[in-house]
């Protein structure tokens, strides 16, 4: 059974304090590892797709990396507007649906 | 690109009535759409996979007679909550699969907040 685990559940950072969010996955035949951002009362917003170990993608203050067992979302010098829940999801084998982690709720304090 | 809309964004209804929620892919065609439910401070729970031109596939524990899904075109899927009760109050989110060069990517709608009185 495919599993995706995110840690920590919640993270509070001071503005400018860089950190990383972790996503561990156990899936059969990874076809894609996805990161989404979700603001309260809204649907998830697509951020990145990673396909193979060693791959990295960047967008503004966010950088996602992938190994054979984990993905990290690095946040550099975060701002309060980066506060949100970050969701990780895996697409495996012949599956059409994503397996989601439980999310990391990030709060960036001014 | 890859925009998904939902309508309505919120709805309040009386117990026993039915509510229809629409999910549209605005700038791409989607043979597969998904319907999720989300409770406060919890992650997304997949309810069903909506397939264009065929019956939806429901997850275990989801009542197909209560949550009717129709995917009549490549850009529209609807979820009808029949005979709604207060326990059906939740945040419902749809997603549509965009087929790209790398792999398929799910893009999500903004969600619909359903409150059943």
């Amino acid at each position: 059974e495919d599993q995706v685990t995110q840690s920590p559940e919640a993270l509070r950072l001071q503005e400018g304090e860089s950190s990383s969010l972790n996503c561990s996955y156990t899936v059969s035949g990874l076809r894609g590892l996805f990161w989404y951002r979700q603001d309260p009362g809204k649907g998830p917003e697509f951020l990145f797709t990673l396909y193979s170990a060693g791959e990295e993608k960047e967008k503004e203050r966010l950088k996602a990396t992938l190994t054979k067992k984990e993905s990290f979302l690095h946040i550099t010098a975060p701002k309060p507007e980066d506060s949100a829940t970050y969701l990780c999801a895996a697409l495996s084998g012949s599956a059409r649906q994503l397996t989601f982690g439980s999310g990391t709720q990030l709060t960036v304090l001014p | 690109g890859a925009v998904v809309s939902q309508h309505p964004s919120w709805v309040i209804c009386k117990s026993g009535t039915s509510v229809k929620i629409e999910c549209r892919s605005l700038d791409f065609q989607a043979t597969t759409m998904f319907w999720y439910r989300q409770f406060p401070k919890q992650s997304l729970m997949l309810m069903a996979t909506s397939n264009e031109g065929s019956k939806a596939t429901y997850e275990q524990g989801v009542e197909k007679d209560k949550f009717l899904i129709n995917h009549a075109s490549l850009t529209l899927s609807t979820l009808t909550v029949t005979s709604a009760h207060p326990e059906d109050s939740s945040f419902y989110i749809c997603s549509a699969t965009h087929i790209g060069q790398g792999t398929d990517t799910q893009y999500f709608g903004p969600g619909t907040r359903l409150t059943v009185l």
Side-chain angles (χ1 to χ4, degrees):
Chain A
E1 183 182 343
D2 297 339
Q3 284 191 324
V4 176
T5 304
Q6 290 187 249
S7 62
E9 289 186 11
L11 181 63
R12 291 166 69 92
L13 300 172
Q14 290 295 135
E15 184 171 2
E17 180 186 0
S18 301
S19 187
S20 296
L21 312 182
N22 177 266
C23 171
S24 298
Y25 63 91
T26 306
V27 301
S28 53
L30 182 73
R31 289 199 289 138
L33 190 292
F34 299 81
W35 282 97
Y36 292 88
R37 168 190 171 131
Q38 187 176 25
D39 292 297
K42 296 187 178 180
E45 173 191 347
F46 171 72
L47 294 174
F48 304 109
T49 309
L50 301 167
Y51 299 103
S52 57
E55 188 175 3
E56 298 182 352
K57 288 192 177 175
E58 288 188 65
K59 180 180 179 180
E60 296 181 354
R61 294 177 292 282
L62 300 177
K63 183 169 79 172
T65 62
L66 182 67
T67 72
K68 289 186 177 180
K69 295 182 178 180
E70 298 175 301
S71 179
F72 293 93
L73 185 65
H74 307 277
I75 303 177
T76 302
K79 297 182 178 181
E81 53 261 42
D82 294 323
S83 297
T85 295
Y86 290 86
L87 297 169
C88 166
L91 183 66
S92 68
S94 60
R96 290 187 299 170
Q97 63 263 38
L98 296 170
T99 300
F100 276 92
S102 54
T104 293
Q105 184 176 2
L106 173 66
T107 303
V108 182
L109 304 171
Chain B
V3 178
V4 177
S5 70
Q6 272 183 253
H7 178 79
S9 56
W10 59 270
V11 57
I12 301 173
C13 69
K14 293 183 178 180
S15 185
T17 61
S18 295
V19 174
K20 179 185 283 188
I21 302 170
E22 291 186 350
C23 177
R24 294 181 185 273
S25 56
L26 299 185
D27 52 359
F28 65 100
Q29 295 183 329
T31 56
T32 305
M33 293 184 175
F34 299 90
W35 287 95
Y36 294 85
R37 187 172 179 177
Q38 188 174 37
F39 294 102
K41 302 212 180 276
Q42 293 188 24
S43 192
L44 304 169
M45 184 186 79
L46 180 66
M47 298 176 64
T49 302
S50 173
N51 306 297
E52 188 268 335
S54 64
K55 291 183 179 180
T57 305
Y58 291 82
E59 295 300 299
Q60 192 171 8
V62 178
E63 299 176 59
K64 59 183 67 177
D65 294 331
K66 181 165 191 62
F67 299 100
L68 300 180
I69 292 172
N70 183 276
H71 193 154
S73 79
L74 288 172
T75 58
L76 173 64
S77 175
T78 60
L79 169 68
T80 301
V81 184
T82 62
S83 186
H85 291 284
E87 57 265 30
D88 298 323
S89 298
S90 191
F91 191 53
Y92 292 87
I93 311 173
C94 74
S95 69
T97 300
H98 179 268
I99 299 175
Q101 291 184 335
T103 192
D104 304 344
T105 299
Q106 280 190 40
Y107 291 90
F108 287 82
T112 297
R113 173 75 57 193
L114 170 63
T115 303
V116 184
L117 303 176

